[in-house]
Amino acid sequence: MSTQDARPEVDAIVGASHGDPFSVLGMHADDDGRIVVRTFQPAAVSVAVIEAGSGKVAAELARIHDDGFFEGAMPRRKAPFRYRLRLDLADGPVDIEDPYGFPPVLGDLDVHLLAEGTHLRTYDRLGAHPREIDGISGVAFVVWAPSAKRVSVVGDFNGWDGRSHPMRLRHGCGAWEIFVPGIGRGVAYKYEILGADGTLLPLKADPYAFYAELRPKTASVAHGLPDWQWRDDAWMASRAAVNAREAPISVYEVHLGSWRRVPEDGDRFLSYTELADQLIPYAKDLGFTHIELMPVSEFPFDGSWGYQPIGLFAPTSRFGPPEDFQAFVDRCHGAGIGVLLDWVSGHFPTDPHGLGLFDGSHLYEHSDPRQGFHMDWNTLIYNYGRREVENFLLGNALFWMDRYHIDGLRVDAVASMLYLDYSREPGQWVPNKYGGRENLESIDFLKRMNVEVFGAFPGATTVAEESTAWPGVSRPTYAGGLGFGFKWNMGWMHDTLRYMGNDPIHRRYHHNDLTFGLLYAFTENFMLPLSHDEVVHGKGSLLDRMPGDAWQKFANLRTYYAFMWTHPGKKLLFMGGEFAQRREWNHDTSLDWHLLDRPEHRGIQSLIRDLNRLYRETPALHQLDCDGAGFEWVESQDFENGVLSFLRLGLDGTAPVLMVGNFTPVPRHGYRLGVPRGGRWDELLNTDAVDYGGGGVGNGGGVEAKAVESHGRPYSVELTVPPLATVVLTAREGAR
């Protein structure tokens, strides 16, 4: 750049509108063959160039713009050399490294893979990474903003001045980068972006931030990839068996902000460390095999429960730093508990510091609101057809598995991703290229996500919250499915809760609500969810939804839980359900732990503990959860008596289990049911047991199956089935 050409370039730097600051700032050979250094230092009185090796002054730079642009040639220098800048500031001189004297952050292969949409470890490069370059410590910042005219990193280290650190554009992939020397972990930062039309956008948080300020603050925090010394090698080597279709999977769903709080300290949240101390042993004691966490990706609004995340790569700072969350997962694994994470890839919020209009264009979202805006949630929808956006989401899925050892992702709102007309009226959606309602780009994304997760992390799994009859959600992609490990059985949940909400006198007219789910129970690898969605928005608690007086409410809930735990499918229960929380869930307060002072609530908790133990220790109750060979009806149509009975079967040689549920307040004596074996059938569980809060009606620990044919079987038992209760029996070993 010659002197006569300098003024427009200088004005653009000073005015923070230059799109290629590295072509101007730093050390360059000019048109006359001289080595020239240029820097913009608005706070400096004077600037000198210092030889890095000797510490000698190589040149004094001249101020060529009143706002603080300095330039100077190096006498007798014919080649670039390592240097520092000495700034004469109001409070004295200081030596700094020049950010514009460092080489590019991204390598050529990174640029190629990012442009191609195949860089599955994007988190290794994008974001803020403390590192050394040429022996100098600092932070490397990289952000994708291809339509921006200029991007600067701003933060505490430069007074949030967008003129100080404008970034280099890597044209091949649309990413902007800069290495800022002399700073490290813990500095707050955002990106100042000038849109292509010259509009200065609201400051943006880093989409790849690994840590963020505690709300209501919204800045990202330079942290780098969290680095924990994991101690879960044994768990990771064996978790495939824990997540298998044949395994007993019982999930405790938790909202970390309201499981338990500290009322004596301003009702604050528990930290990740405190949660590890309290939540893990609690879940272990109750026999849950997994903890599912409602979203922990950083989110601005508590009332979204995490389902409107801003920072997909940052565990929320509400409970502590990233390493503490890693330690929480590690301790779960040490206790033999898997960790599932709610993952939101279907939409994102419109907060001005978020992804919406990130570089002044519809970068992450569709430009057409008929494709890019969720009317139900007032959120934006990812453009899954854009390879870089797909790469962003794929990289995030793999990130949680890689850096946090997450054992499975429960993907939120899959139905909204599958259908272009989801919750839309005619004219409010755009058909696919074949004229259909299927979101082909989203379907391809979900398939690829599952292929990549299962391929890269053997033993991990995925779970779909999918509320429609979409076929093959949990079937492999090579067989035409979406490739998920499991699918929530929303139909079962809605039908059975509707049934349980009826007064027992009317249940005979709704008996099919209990049985209909078995018509399709083995079309997917189902998980039976009683999730947070069932105890919010005026629905009341599970206990509240049961009819009758107080005793009947508890009895109904006990028999329902036993029906669920013996029904084919993996189990999921939202926190509070395990001790019959009385009020609807409130994310702003702790669960009502004081209820455990009452025997009826302790009884429910004891039942859950015993159901989990029974499910875990009884092969017939879990080995064929997802296989029709593991289930046989005994009597499905006794709607007059409100009794339902079935057999659960395991692999060859496994003792069969008989479940009998009485959904009326009338005890059934001498109730005959056909069974496949004679001899003693032991009563494994009776929800009317006194220890659970019941009346103690039962079968004295078991019954004898006699050679009396019934229900098409050569043997039968005569049972006493308590009122509003479920009994579970199994053939004693050696029974014929």
Side-chain angles (χ1 to χ4, degrees), residues 10 56 70 114 119 159 173 188 243 275 310 324 327 352 402 405 489 493 518 549 561 628 631 735:
V10 171
K56 295 179 179 179
F70 295 84
L114 288 169
H119 199 312
C173 63
N243 282 339
L275 286 161
I310 286 288
D324 285 1
D402 176 28
H405 289 200
N489 194 336
M493 176 266 297
L518 271 304
D549 58 23
Y561 280 158
F631 178 88

Side-chain angles (χ1 to χ4, degrees), residues 673-679 705-710 713-717 736:
L673 291 168
V675 292
R677 297 186 189 180
K706 299 180 179 178
V708 177
E709 185 178 351
S710 182
R713 293 177 175 84
Y715 302 95
S716 61
V717 293
R736 58 193 184 279

Side-chain angles (χ1 to χ4, degrees), residues 5-344:
D5 297 329
R7 193 67 196 185
E9 301 276 8
V10 171
D11 289 343
I13 293 291
V14 173
S17 62
H18 203 294
D20 188 13
F22 277 81
S23 68
V24 178
L25 299 172
M27 181 175 283
H28 298 272
D30 71 3
D31 294 344
D32 299 324
R34 300 178 305 165
I35 300 300
V36 176
V37 173
R38 304 182 189 93
T39 185
F40 179 58
Q41 302 293 341
V45 176
S46 64
V47 179
V49 176
I50 308 299
E51 291 181 346
S54 67
K56 295 179 179 179
V57 175
E60 296 284 349
L61 303 186
R63 179 189 290 268
I64 66 171
H65 194 289
D66 290 342
D67 285 353
F69 192 100
F70 295 84
E71 178 187 74
M74 309 297 104
R76 299 179 300 280
R77 293 285 187 171
K78 300 298 183 182
F81 58 94
R82 285 281 295 118
Y83 69 97
R84 293 194 299 273
L85 299 175
R86 179 165 295 163
L87 311 183
D88 184 13
L89 304 175
D91 53 356
V94 61
D95 286 4
I96 67 167
E97 299 289 340
D98 185 359
Y100 300 92
F102 289 89
V105 174
L106 295 176
D108 291 341
L109 180 59
D110 292 320
V111 171
H112 172 76
L113 294 177
L114 288 169
E116 194 176 60
T118 57
H119 199 312
L120 295 181
R121 295 182 63 92
T122 48
Y123 50 89
D124 283 341
R125 295 292 180 264
L126 277 76
H129 292 266
R131 58 179 292 192
E132 281 191 6
I133 295 182
D134 294 340
I136 305 300
S137 297
V139 176
F141 297 91
V142 183
V143 63
W144 180 57
S147 295
K149 184 177 180 182
R150 187 263 302 170
V151 179
S152 299
V153 61
V154 297
D156 296 335
F157 52 89
N158 63 12
W160 300 88
D161 186 343
R163 302 174 301 168
S164 296
H165 290 96
M167 303 168 76
R168 172 196 285 119
L169 173 62
R170 302 302 299 273
H171 291 275
C173 63
W176 298 76
E177 60 174 30
I178 193 171
F179 177 71
V180 180
I183 65 172
R185 289 166 61 122
V187 298
Y189 73 98
K190 283 185 177 180
Y191 294 112
E192 183 180 281
I193 300 176
L194 197 66
D197 63 355
T199 299
L200 187 63
L201 304 174
L203 293 181
K204 293 290 187 177
D206 189 347
Y208 280 88
F210 305 117
Y211 194 29
E213 290 185 313
L214 179 63
R215 54 92 179 99
K217 295 181 178 180
T218 59
S220 304
V221 176
H223 188 84
L225 290 170
D227 187 19
W228 177 253
Q229 297 301 308
W230 293 93
R231 296 180 286 270
D232 63 350
D233 288 352
W235 168 269
M236 297 296 282
S238 63
R239 71 174 176 181
V242 179
N243 282 339
R245 293 171 74 244
E246 300 77 21
I249 295 178
S250 180
V251 181
Y252 186 50
E253 186 191 21
V254 178
H255 178 263
L256 292 179
S258 59
W259 180 73
R260 182 176 284 157
R261 292 197 176 190
V262 187
E264 61 271 21
D265 190 9
D267 204 33
R268 68 167 175 83
F269 298 131
L270 294 179
S271 68
Y272 289 123
T273 302
E274 291 169 320
L275 286 161
D277 291 339
Q278 299 178 39
L279 172 58
I280 294 172
Y282 179 78
K284 181 71 173 178
D285 173 66
L286 289 182
F288 288 100
T289 63
H290 293 70
I291 293 173
E292 179 176 318
L293 303 177
M294 291 169 67
V296 299
S297 299
E298 192 59 80
F299 58 101
F301 175 49
D302 287 1
S304 78
W305 313 332
Y307 291 101
Q308 295 194 13
I310 286 288
L312 285 187
F313 289 83
T316 178
S317 57
R318 287 167 174 81
F319 316 116
E323 286 77 12
D324 285 1
F325 182 57
Q326 288 179 309
F328 171 85
V329 176
D330 203 10
R331 289 179 62 181
C332 283
H333 291 170
I337 294 176
V339 180
L340 307 178
L341 191 67
D342 275 14
W343 188 57
V344 185

Side-chain angles (χ1 to χ4, degrees), residues 311-594:
L312 285 187
F313 289 83
T316 178
S317 57
R318 287 167 174 81
F319 316 116
E323 286 77 12
D324 285 1
F325 182 57
Q326 288 179 309
F328 171 85
V329 176
D330 203 10
R331 289 179 62 181
C332 283
H333 291 170
I337 294 176
V339 180
L340 307 178
L341 191 67
D342 275 14
W343 188 57
V344 185
S345 58
H347 61 119
F348 57 93
T350 58
D351 296 68
H353 66 288
L355 296 180
L357 293 173
F358 187 79
D359 63 356
S361 71
H362 295 281
L363 187 61
Y364 287 90
E365 72 274 19
H366 278 279
S367 59
D368 188 333
R370 295 175 298 171
Q371 297 172 284
F373 188 75
H374 254 308
M375 295 183 292
D376 286 354
W377 305 314
N378 294 321
T379 53
L380 300 171
I381 301 171
Y382 288 104
N383 182 355
Y384 304 102
R386 186 162 190 166
R387 61 184 181 273
E388 298 96 337
V389 174
E390 182 187 46
N391 207 175
F392 168 73
L393 292 170
L394 288 173
N396 185 249
L398 299 177
F399 167 81
W400 290 106
M401 303 287 189
D402 176 28
R403 306 305 302 190
Y404 289 94
H405 289 200
I406 296 300
D407 301 294
L409 298 175
R410 176 267 195 186
V411 183
D412 180 61
V414 171
S416 74
M417 300 171 68
L418 294 176
Y419 298 98
L420 294 165
D421 64 343
Y422 181 85
S423 197
R424 296 179 187 272
E425 299 297 328
Q428 295 179 337
W429 58 282
V430 179
N432 63 36
K433 61 184 179 181
Y434 302 112
R437 57 197 286 255
E438 300 81 10
N439 190 330
L440 303 178
E441 295 166 344
S442 176
I443 293 165
D444 287 344
F445 159 70
L446 290 171
K447 288 181 177 180
R448 187 180 173 198
M449 181 274 297
N450 282 311
V451 167
E452 296 294 348
V453 165
F454 282 98
F457 298 98
T461 193
T462 58
V463 183
E465 184 211 14
E466 204 287 306
S467 55
T468 75
W470 187 279
V473 171
S474 58
R475 293 295 178 258
T477 56
Y478 61 76
L482 293 180
F484 284 92
F486 297 96
K487 172 183 172 175
W488 275 18
N489 194 336
M490 312 287 280
W492 174 90
M493 176 266 297
H494 286 300
D495 290 348
T496 58
L497 278 176
R498 182 171 60 234
Y499 174 88
M500 294 304 300
N502 289 307
D503 188 287
I505 199 170
H506 300 302
R507 285 176 176 170
R508 69 183 65 188
Y509 306 112
H510 304 278
H511 195 74
N512 287 345
D513 280 343
L514 283 186
T515 62
F516 181 71
L518 271 304
L519 293 177
Y520 60 86
F522 308 106
T523 60
E524 301 277 2
N525 301 330
F526 276 124
M527 184 175 288
L528 310 181
L530 293 178
S531 74
H532 65 278
D533 281 327
E534 304 319 307
V535 292
V536 291
H537 302 319
K539 296 175 185 175
S541 67
L542 292 177
L543 181 67
D544 238 5
R545 296 171 72 168
M546 302 295 123
D549 58 23
W551 189 92
Q552 289 181 334
K553 283 180 178 292
F554 280 92
N556 269 300
L557 188 60
R558 291 194 301 268
T559 197
Y560 182 51
Y561 280 158
F563 169 67
M564 171 180 172
W565 254 259
T566 54
H567 191 287
K570 309 308 177 186
K571 326 301 175 189
L572 180 140
L573 183 64
F574 182 57
M575 63 181 199
E578 78 278 9
F579 61 81
Q581 171 100 356
R582 286 179 177 268
R583 61 178 173 84
E584 187 172 277
W585 172 54
N586 180 353
H587 69 272
D588 281 328
T589 63
S590 171
L591 295 178
D592 294 331
W593 294 101
H594 64 276

